[in-house]
Amino acid sequence: MSGPLPSQIDPIRLADEGTRLHGNLPGSEMSRLQGLVLSGSRPEPVTVDLQFERVGQGVRQLRGAIRTQVEMACGRCLKPLKVEIVAQPLCVLLQAGETEPEEGESLVVTAALSLAELVEDELLLAMPMSPGHAEGQCELALSTSMGKVPVAEKRANPFAELRGFKGKNQ
């Protein structure tokens, strides 16, 4: 399914039908994501490409790719930084009462889900914990390696004068 994405989805039905959802969602409507970006900036539209399918004996799965770009503060210099967030969800879809697999992620579906919330959850899980400029591009790193940050002058050792007292009291 390409074009406008539905607001509510039934992942079990979509997997039974082998549906693929491909399109864009507005990043500005994702309030939790909006709370983690620089104030005044808006997340770019989110590209969604999700495949719902049946694999094996009655196993339903969701896999795909979700991408967007946000502006965050660099963890070193605190300057604005464009960060591309890429999530690649892969999980087994289960109905209530079905046994969870021993390995991998699973999503228990009890009712229709908000597609925007599902996508936002995946993006939040894929966000870097401490974003930073690439090696050699951070202003703080450049200023310290280029010698722009003043280095403290060499101080006299405060204990240097005590050396003279060492032998006098013996």
Side-chain angles (χ1 to χ4, degrees), residues 3-157:
L5 295 172
S7 60
Q8 297 286 314
I9 60 169
D10 179 358
I12 300 296
R13 182 181 59 77
L14 293 176
D16 288 341
E17 295 172 359
T19 303
R20 179 179 179 210
L21 298 178
H22 183 72
N24 292 324
L25 291 173
S28 58
E29 293 180 6
M30 298 182 182
S31 60
R32 294 175 293 157
L33 183 63
Q34 190 74 20
L36 297 175
V37 302
L38 284 178
S39 66
S41 73
R42 302 190 117 188
E44 293 185 10
V46 178
T47 303
V48 177
D49 186 6
L50 298 175
Q51 178 69 46
F52 297 84
E53 61 192 352
R54 286 188 141 226
V55 293
Q57 292 285 4
V59 177
R60 299 173 186 97
Q61 105 176 350
L62 157 66
R63 65 180 169 86
I66 303 168
R67 296 177 183 274
T68 192
Q69 254 192 4
V70 296
E71 194 171 43
M72 300 178 79
C74 172
R76 292 184 291 267
C77 69
L78 301 179
K79 300 287 184 193
L81 167 70
K82 284 273 189 185
V83 176
E84 182 177 22
I85 304 171
V86 179
Q88 295 180 314
L90 175 61
C91 65
V92 174
L93 302 169
L94 302 171
Q95 292 178 314
E98 289 183 332
T99 307
E100 291 191 32
E102 291 181 22
E103 294 182 19
E105 299 289 320
S106 61
L107 174 64
V108 178
V109 180
T110 57
L113 301 174
S114 164
L115 179 61
E117 285 183 22
L118 177 68
V119 166
E120 186 176 24
D121 288 344
E122 292 296 331
L123 288 173
L124 291 173
L125 289 170
M127 285 187 78
M129 292 183 80
S130 179
H133 289 102
E135 187 76 28
Q137 293 181 348
C138 186
E139 288 185 26
L140 179 64
L142 286 175
S143 64
T144 57
S145 67
M146 301 300 256
K148 293 181 182 175
V149 175
V151 179
E153 294 179 19
K154 188 173 180 179
R155 292 185 186 175
N157 185 343

